[in-house]
Amino acid sequence: MVEKNVVLSGLSGSGKTTVGRMLAKKLNRPFLDLDILIEETERMTIPEIFQKFGEEKFREIESKLTIKVAELKNSVIALGGGTLMRPQNRESLKKCGTVVFLNPPLDTLLKRLQGDDTRPLLKAEDIKEKKEKLIRLYYERINTYLGGADLVVDGDENPEKIAEKIISKLSLPKEKRTSSIKKEIAVKSESKIYRVVVGFKILQEALADYLKENRFSGIVLVTSPVINQLFGSPLREVFIEKGFDIKTVFIEDEEEKKDINTLSKIYDEFIKLGVDRSSLVIALGGGITGDVAGFAAATYMRGIKWVYVPTTLLAQVDASVGGKVAVNHREGKNLIGAFYQPDLVITDINHLFTLPDKIFGDGMAEVIKTAILQGELFKYIEENAIKIKERDPETLFNIVYECIKFKKEIVEKDERDEGKRMILNLGHTFGHALEAASGYKVSHGQAVSAGTVMAFKLSILLGNNLQKDLERVKELFTFFNLPVSIKELPVQINEEEILNFLLRDKKAVAGRPRFIVPYNIGDVRVVEKLSGDLKILLKNVIDEKEGKRDENPGDSRT
């Protein structure tokens, strides 16, 4: 199911957006228009960006977003007219996509652009001047278009025929038919009972059923510009046709933006849109979007209903259940937050096929962590690792469903993370410290992977014979391109900084952190007291030394 993007290039008026939408529909893929993405990200039109900042600044913005979207999978992407002119853009797009050059005759382009005044580089007093500018642009760019293209198509026909021509020339494998997969899990926490719907291509149906059963004064979608392009806009269009008025609030889904400032901007947008206590918030995106939008819902007007649609593997298996919502503080990750359960969670496996490899790998860190806790799932992942990496729909469904089911059982026993639920933080005590000490340059998945290995090493230092299990764990992490040591992280981290953040961990008691320690795969416990010098013990873990095994591993509870 993991296929390259189809990328449409060409001059303004070549039909990239129209053909792209048609192509995406025929290929059953999400569509992304780079120009619209730029406007939604910058909160201004392209002519306004040119006027305010100039072309060079626009190209910098364009390039940053191009490199980001080039990492997607299974998508159709329409470029701006000048996107391919930067070498780094061409390199990124060709790496993960098939670039198609739409090349209609100049007369056709001129006819299509005759009454269009939205193109800054073609702005003209009359048709003659516009034609001159168009011809000049064509000859400036034609060699780059041709050199950067894997496929050249004459774009002088109607969009449907052009789309069919592109499909006929692409070497695409037949789409694997997937039977309708759908299951529901009821989460019965102390504060609320809610459903988690898990399935393949279920978002529209599940949300429609929910909105029919409930009445809201307004609906606001909180998402990032990229996720909005892929999934938000199509969903919003469908529901507007059904009579639901859905507004959109954009946030940046980056860890360094997961803070009070972003939260404040969401409140401002809510107030501007007239969101009240009878409104509904839909969080569409990964864990960052779920955390921030969920916390906004928890605190705006003392709490309004929210629905979570997790779109990353990490969010589907972790953040989707449990109601932990939060923002970061400069002193630590998720320090400001609440437990606030959603009204509904819709987990659509279809969203996983567009994920960049790195983000999918981050999710696998959380899957493997959960499998270590659950036990039987770990063996299933070992046996099906190749299918998972290929993103086989039924195999993905199985691991996501089993992870959610396991977490549900834990959360129902301990909603507020005061006892049994703490085992879900395997690898996170170390992982959060690694994230914070790196200034969040290390991703959550990378941190959890390295942190889980560190937890195993801590267990070995405390006297547990886990070397064989540790090797199995490391082998799985490595297979999914995840780090298994601090040395493999993308940035260097100071040991003292790691220790400082460990001592400030939210789970710490009287200044001494509680550690989640594996005793076997399927047997993980909370250790509240570590004998000996804590600093020396942790230094041995960080330095990857075997150290002297402690005959008295300390008091523990599960």
Side-chain angles (χ1 to χ4, degrees), residues 8 14-25 31 76 102 155 157-160 162-163 166:
L8 302 181
S14 59
K16 300 184 294 292
T17 298
T18 306
V19 173
R21 290 186 191 281
M22 187 72 66
L23 189 61
K25 186 175 181 181
F31 172 71
V76 177
L102 299 183
E157 299 176 287
N158 70 58
E160 186 167 2
I162 297 171
I166 293 170

Short mmCIF file of all heavy atoms in Angstrom, two decimals, residues 8 14-25 31 76 102 155 157-160 162-163 166:
data_model
loop_
_atom_site.label_atom_id
_atom_site.label_comp_id
_atom_site.label_asym_id
_atom_site.label_seq_id
_atom_site.Cartn_x
_atom_site.Cartn_y
_atom_site.Cartn_z
N LEU A 8 2.39 16.87 -9.94
CA LEU A 8 2.07 17.57 -11.18
C LEU A 8 2.78 18.92 -11.23
O LEU A 8 2.62 19.75 -10.32
CB LEU A 8 0.57 17.76 -11.32
CG LEU A 8 -0.28 16.48 -11.29
CD1 LEU A 8 -1.75 16.82 -11.45
CD2 LEU A 8 0.17 15.51 -12.36
N SER A 14 -1.77 25.42 -16.51
CA SER A 14 -1.59 24.12 -17.16
C SER A 14 -2.58 23.07 -16.66
O SER A 14 -2.64 21.97 -17.20
CB SER A 14 -0.16 23.62 -16.98
OG SER A 14 0.16 23.50 -15.61
N GLY A 15 -3.35 23.39 -15.62
CA GLY A 15 -4.39 22.48 -15.14
C GLY A 15 -3.96 21.57 -14.01
O GLY A 15 -4.60 20.54 -13.76
N LYS A 16 -2.90 21.94 -13.31
CA LYS A 16 -2.37 21.06 -12.26
C LYS A 16 -3.41 20.76 -11.18
O LYS A 16 -3.56 19.61 -10.77
CB LYS A 16 -1.11 21.71 -11.63
CG LYS A 16 0.02 21.96 -12.62
CD LYS A 16 1.25 22.51 -11.94
CE LYS A 16 1.02 23.90 -11.36
NZ LYS A 16 0.83 24.94 -12.39
N THR A 17 -4.11 21.80 -10.73
CA THR A 17 -5.09 21.59 -9.66
C THR A 17 -6.29 20.79 -10.14
O THR A 17 -6.72 19.82 -9.50
CB THR A 17 -5.55 22.94 -9.09
OG1 THR A 17 -4.42 23.62 -8.53
CG2 THR A 17 -6.61 22.75 -8.02
N THR A 18 -6.84 21.17 -11.28
CA THR A 18 -8.03 20.48 -11.80
C THR A 18 -7.72 19.03 -12.14
O THR A 18 -8.44 18.11 -11.75
CB THR A 18 -8.55 21.20 -13.06
OG1 THR A 18 -8.76 22.58 -12.76
CG2 THR A 18 -9.85 20.59 -13.53
N VAL A 19 -6.62 18.81 -12.86
CA VAL A 19 -6.22 17.45 -13.21
C VAL A 19 -5.85 16.67 -11.95
O VAL A 19 -6.17 15.49 -11.81
CB VAL A 19 -5.04 17.47 -14.20
CG1 VAL A 19 -4.50 16.05 -14.43
CG2 VAL A 19 -5.46 18.09 -15.52
N GLY A 20 -5.18 17.36 -11.01
CA GLY A 20 -4.77 16.70 -9.77
C GLY A 20 -5.94 16.16 -8.98
O GLY A 20 -5.90 15.03 -8.48
N ARG A 21 -6.99 16.96 -8.87
CA ARG A 21 -8.19 16.50 -8.14
C ARG A 21 -8.81 15.29 -8.85
O ARG A 21 -9.23 14.32 -8.20
CB ARG A 21 -9.21 17.63 -8.04
CG ARG A 21 -8.79 18.77 -7.11
CD ARG A 21 -9.92 19.78 -6.94
NE ARG A 21 -9.48 20.99 -6.29
CZ ARG A 21 -9.28 21.12 -4.98
NH1 ARG A 21 -9.50 20.08 -4.18
NH2 ARG A 21 -8.87 22.27 -4.46
N MET A 22 -8.88 15.37 -10.17
CA MET A 22 -9.45 14.27 -10.96
C MET A 22 -8.60 13.01 -10.80
O MET A 22 -9.11 11.90 -10.62
CB MET A 22 -9.52 14.67 -12.42
CG MET A 22 -10.25 13.69 -13.32
SD MET A 22 -12.03 13.68 -13.05
CE MET A 22 -12.46 15.34 -13.62
N LEU A 23 -7.29 13.18 -10.87
CA LEU A 23 -6.36 12.06 -10.75
C LEU A 23 -6.46 11.42 -9.37
O LEU A 23 -6.48 10.19 -9.24
CB LEU A 23 -4.94 12.56 -11.01
CG LEU A 23 -3.83 11.54 -11.16
CD1 LEU A 23 -4.09 10.62 -12.34
CD2 LEU A 23 -2.48 12.25 -11.34
N ALA A 24 -6.52 12.25 -8.34
CA ALA A 24 -6.61 11.74 -6.97
C ALA A 24 -7.89 10.93 -6.78
O ALA A 24 -7.88 9.88 -6.12
CB ALA A 24 -6.57 12.91 -5.98
N LYS A 25 -8.97 11.41 -7.37
CA LYS A 25 -10.25 10.69 -7.25
C LYS A 25 -10.17 9.34 -7.93
O LYS A 25 -10.63 8.32 -7.40
CB LYS A 25 -11.36 11.54 -7.88
CG LYS A 25 -12.76 10.96 -7.68
CD LYS A 25 -13.81 11.91 -8.21
CE LYS A 25 -15.21 11.35 -7.99
NZ LYS A 25 -16.25 12.27 -8.54
N PHE A 31 -5.44 14.47 -2.10
CA PHE A 31 -4.89 15.50 -3.00
C PHE A 31 -4.40 16.68 -2.18
O PHE A 31 -5.03 17.09 -1.21
CB PHE A 31 -5.97 15.96 -3.99
CG PHE A 31 -5.54 17.14 -4.82
CD1 PHE A 31 -4.58 16.99 -5.82
CD2 PHE A 31 -6.08 18.40 -4.60
CE1 PHE A 31 -4.17 18.07 -6.59
CE2 PHE A 31 -5.69 19.49 -5.37
CZ PHE A 31 -4.73 19.32 -6.36
N VAL A 76 -1.44 12.74 -4.30
CA VAL A 76 -1.31 13.49 -5.54
C VAL A 76 -1.04 14.94 -5.15
O VAL A 76 -1.81 15.53 -4.38
CB VAL A 76 -2.57 13.40 -6.42
CG1 VAL A 76 -2.43 14.27 -7.66
CG2 VAL A 76 -2.84 11.95 -6.81
N LEU A 102 2.83 18.80 -17.07
CA LEU A 102 1.69 19.11 -17.94
C LEU A 102 2.11 20.24 -18.88
O LEU A 102 2.43 21.34 -18.43
CB LEU A 102 0.48 19.54 -17.11
CG LEU A 102 -0.08 18.51 -16.11
CD1 LEU A 102 -1.32 19.07 -15.42
CD2 LEU A 102 -0.42 17.20 -16.79
N GLY A 155 -1.16 18.80 -22.10
CA GLY A 155 -2.31 19.15 -21.27
C GLY A 155 -3.38 19.92 -22.00
O GLY A 155 -4.04 20.77 -21.40
N GLU A 157 -6.10 18.59 -23.48
CA GLU A 157 -7.39 17.91 -23.51
C GLU A 157 -8.18 18.23 -22.25
O GLU A 157 -7.71 18.96 -21.37
CB GLU A 157 -7.15 16.40 -23.64
CG GLU A 157 -6.42 16.01 -24.92
CD GLU A 157 -6.12 14.52 -24.96
OE1 GLU A 157 -5.23 14.09 -24.22
OE2 GLU A 157 -6.78 13.82 -25.73
N ASN A 158 -9.38 17.66 -22.11
CA ASN A 158 -10.15 17.92 -20.90
C ASN A 158 -9.50 17.18 -19.73
O ASN A 158 -8.80 16.17 -19.92
CB ASN A 158 -11.62 17.54 -21.07
CG ASN A 158 -11.83 16.04 -21.17
OD1 ASN A 158 -11.47 15.29 -20.27
ND2 ASN A 158 -12.44 15.60 -22.27
N PRO A 159 -9.71 17.65 -18.49
CA PRO A 159 -8.99 17.12 -17.32
C PRO A 159 -9.14 15.62 -17.14
O PRO A 159 -8.18 14.94 -16.76
CB PRO A 159 -9.62 17.89 -16.15
CG PRO A 159 -10.08 19.17 -16.76
CD PRO A 159 -10.53 18.82 -18.15
N GLU A 160 -10.33 15.09 -17.42
CA GLU A 160 -10.54 13.65 -17.21
C GLU A 160 -9.67 12.82 -18.15
O GLU A 160 -9.06 11.83 -17.75
CB GLU A 160 -12.00 13.28 -17.40
CG GLU A 160 -12.28 11.83 -17.06
CD GLU A 160 -13.76 11.53 -16.93
OE1 GLU A 160 -14.58 12.44 -17.15
OE2 GLU A 160 -14.09 10.38 -16.62
N ILE A 162 -6.87 13.80 -19.55
CA ILE A 162 -5.47 13.97 -19.13
C ILE A 162 -5.17 13.04 -17.96
O ILE A 162 -4.12 12.37 -17.92
CB ILE A 162 -5.18 15.43 -18.75
CG1 ILE A 162 -5.36 16.34 -19.96
CG2 ILE A 162 -3.76 15.57 -18.20
CD1 ILE A 162 -5.31 17.82 -19.64
N ALA A 163 -6.08 12.98 -16.99
CA ALA A 163 -5.90 12.10 -15.83
C ALA A 163 -5.79 10.65 -16.27
O ALA A 163 -4.93 9.90 -15.78
CB ALA A 163 -7.04 12.29 -14.84
N ILE A 166 -2.42 10.00 -17.84
CA ILE A 166 -1.35 9.88 -16.84
C ILE A 166 -1.39 8.50 -16.19
O ILE A 166 -0.35 7.84 -16.06
CB ILE A 166 -1.49 10.99 -15.76
CG1 ILE A 166 -1.22 12.37 -16.38
CG2 ILE A 166 -0.53 10.73 -14.59
CD1 ILE A 166 -1.55 13.52 -15.47
#
